[in-house]
Amino acid sequence: MTSQIQTNQRLYYLDGVRAFALILGVFFHASLSFMPMFIGWAVMDISTSEVVSIFVLISHSFRMELFFLIAGYFSHLKFHQQSLSTFLKSRFVRILIPFVLGWFLLRPLLVSGWILGGESMRGEANIINGLIAGFDSLSELPKGLLIGTHLWFLYYLLFISISLILLRVVIGQHQPTYHWLKVVLDRGVSWVSNARTGILWVSVPTSLCLWFMNSWGMETPDKSLIPNIPVTLIYAGFFFFGWLLHRHDNLIGLFSKITPSKLIFFLVSTLSCVILAGFEMKYGHVNYQYIKAGFLFSYAVMMWTLIALSIGFANKLIKGSNKVVRYLADASYWLYLIHLPIVIWLQIAFAELPLHWSLKLVTVSGMTILLSILLYDIFVRSTLIGAVLNGSRKTRVIFNKHKNQ
């Protein structure tokens, strides 16, 4: 198979996929206060539903994996447009700086949110004391470093990106091995993308990684700077898969093609996950290990099919350059960085209101997205922060004072 590295052709619908993956995270976090059981989240709403549990199960299975696949795809694009030094510099600027600054700026707000959430459930919330306690938590460093924020994905993205580049450089020192490996990997990705059962086969190693996690499903590695090995393998696998997809013209289109088999795999695997999830805590069940294996394989298939179908539907819906989609894609990075404190504070504000959970969920998510976009347009898009996050400063859209002149 001949490699056809894409360097100029832009697939605009992937901007929409990237925005979707990150914005879905807003709805995911906003839904956690409506879970029907207490999961250790900042606050638990008075209105809950089993439907939320199903949404959390499904959305958590693929949203960050989709983001890492798209990140790998665009990383390969940038890698071949830039020198190695420029590429590495851009990774540090666009990933490391937001991670470090974002952690120090957002963690106190998140800690205060957890404090206020606990107090609100006892009817004794004090905003000022909560904020003071949140910022006092920084005095305990380095204890708790990385704990308590949603920015772990940047740490893993940087770690995986640099590791892949270093591995590529090392293997490239022996050209016969390098070329043999390229042929093998290209054929493998091509087969997975083209074969009707490709997703089933690639789900096997994914489910093996899932087996070694502390709970059924994808684990959130936000407790330590030491990379979680099974989590790292899964995210690195999707990043590398996206990297390889970009090596060949139209291969991502084949992988994401909407087919009857993909739809059937998705429906069967999702239904299996919903049914089998109820057995997670039944350790004494005589068939516990077999049920767990069935759930994890179904979870992996659901993960892969949702990723492929998300890209496929975006390809169907988004044709050519779209200013709204492009704007949301640019804003989504900032939106995801800033959203969690806003979500938690809004959840606390709505927790005791006698409203249906669905209305609260939509309101919390909508208000978070709206406020984040307004802040992005005013303070980020055309500033140095925007240059760091988006690669360059861009003209404001909502508050562009020249647009009506």
Side-chain angles (χ1 to χ4, degrees):
M1 183 175 183
T2 304
S3 173
Q4 299 176 15
I5 295 176
Q6 305 176 65
T7 56
N8 297 316
Q9 181 183 4
R10 185 178 187 89
L11 303 181
Y12 293 100
Y13 67 89
L14 293 183
D15 292 326
V17 175
R18 181 173 56 185
F20 166 72
L22 293 176
I23 293 175
L24 180 60
V26 176
F27 286 88
F28 169 79
H29 287 128
S31 69
L32 296 180
S33 64
F34 307 104
M35 292 282 283
M37 75 293 291
F38 184 66
I39 60 172
W41 191 245
V43 64
M44 185 174 181
D45 202 277
I46 61 172
S47 177
T48 62
S49 175
E50 288 289 348
V51 175
V52 176
S53 298
I54 297 174
F55 170 74
V56 168
L57 171 69
I58 296 173
S59 61
H60 187 59
S61 72
F62 80 102
R63 60 186 183 86
M64 291 310 300
E65 292 81 0
L66 175 60
F67 170 80
F68 271 81
L69 186 146
I70 298 301
Y73 186 92
F74 282 118
S75 292
H76 187 268
L77 169 68
K78 293 296 184 182
F79 181 78
H80 286 279
Q81 287 180 336
Q82 304 168 341
S83 65
L84 177 59
S85 60
T86 302
F87 176 81
L88 292 176
K89 180 182 177 181
S90 70
R91 298 303 89 186
F92 278 100
V93 170
R94 298 191 65 184
I95 301 176
L96 182 61
I97 292 177
F99 170 66
V100 174
L101 294 182
W103 193 92
F104 281 100
L105 293 173
L106 296 177
R107 187 174 190 270
L109 299 178
L110 292 171
V111 172
S112 67
W114 248 259
I115 294 172
L116 291 173
E119 291 178 346
S120 71
M121 289 189 284
R122 300 191 299 270
E124 54 186 39
N126 187 307
I127 296 176
I128 300 300
N129 290 342
L131 284 171
I132 293 174
F135 282 95
D136 282 347
S137 67
L138 293 177
S139 65
E140 301 174 0
L141 294 177
K143 178 183 177 182
L145 195 62
L146 190 63
I147 297 176
T149 82
H150 56 300
L151 304 184
W152 59 265
F153 80 102
L154 293 176
Y155 176 74
Y156 274 74
L157 181 58
L158 183 63
F159 175 77
I160 290 169
S161 300
I162 301 304
S163 298
L164 176 61
I165 296 302
L166 290 176
L167 187 61
R168 188 182 188 278
V169 171
V170 170
I171 296 177
Q173 300 304 307
H174 190 263
Q175 286 299 307
T177 301
Y178 178 72
H179 289 297
W180 173 83
L181 192 58
K182 279 204 304 183
V183 171
V184 171
L185 291 172
D186 286 342
R187 288 177 177 174
V189 172
S190 177
W191 183 83
V192 170
S193 301
N194 284 280
R196 184 176 300 175
T197 59
I199 281 180
L200 297 183
W201 285 100
V202 80
S203 295
V204 173
T206 304
S207 60
L208 289 176
C209 292
L210 290 168
W211 182 271
F212 295 98
M213 296 188 185
N214 293 322
S215 60
W216 289 18
M218 197 65 191
E219 189 174 342
T220 301
D222 61 349
K223 300 297 188 291
S224 173
L225 285 171
I226 300 174
N228 181 308
I229 294 177
V231 170
T232 303
L233 289 175
I234 288 181
Y235 286 127
F238 280 102
F239 183 91
F240 191 43
F241 191 83
W243 178 282
L244 293 174
L245 282 177
H246 186 265
R247 282 179 45 78
H248 300 280
D249 191 28
N250 296 326
L251 197 55
I252 194 169
L254 293 173
F255 167 71
S256 61
K257 184 178 180 181
I258 301 173
T259 62
S261 60
K262 284 192 180 77
L263 294 173
I264 292 173
F265 293 157
F266 162 67
L267 292 173
V268 173
S269 61
T270 302
L271 181 61
S272 298
C273 284
V274 172
I275 294 173
L276 297 178
F279 291 89
E280 182 175 3
M281 306 305 293
K282 298 180 179 180
Y283 303 107
H285 195 285
V286 64
N287 293 316
Y288 183 82
Q289 299 296 321
Y290 295 106
I291 295 174
K292 178 181 178 181
F295 173 87
L296 295 181
F297 179 71
S298 298
Y299 191 91
V301 174
M302 179 172 65
M303 179 189 295
W304 277 95
T305 52
L306 276 170
I307 289 171
L309 292 173
S310 296
I311 300 172
F313 279 112
N315 191 11
K316 292 285 186 181
L317 297 173
I318 302 172
K319 299 297 183 182
S321 178
N322 185 300
K323 292 182 179 180
V324 174
V325 171
R326 182 61 191 174
Y327 182 87
L328 289 176
D330 291 336
S332 62
Y333 189 7
W334 160 262
L335 191 155
Y336 194 80
L337 293 179
I338 198 68
H339 84 279
L340 194 54
I342 303 174
V343 163
I344 293 173
W345 283 56
L346 288 173
Q347 286 173 329
I348 294 170
F350 280 87
E352 301 297 322
L353 297 181
L355 301 172
H356 193 268
W357 66 267
S358 60
L359 179 60
K360 293 183 182 182
L361 174 57
V362 171
T363 303
V364 169
S365 302
M367 290 180 65
T368 300
I369 293 171
L370 178 60
L371 180 58
S372 299
I373 289 179
L374 291 177
L375 291 173
Y376 170 75
D377 204 77
I378 297 172
F379 299 110
V380 175
R381 185 171 173 85
S382 62
T383 67
L384 178 61
I385 303 174
V388 171
L389 298 181
N390 297 328
S392 63
R393 302 186 189 211
K394 300 178 184 294
T395 305
R396 291 176 179 175
V397 174
I398 301 174
F399 295 98
N400 185 357
K401 63 181 179 180
H402 300 295
K403 66 182 180 180
N404 294 321
Q405 295 180 5

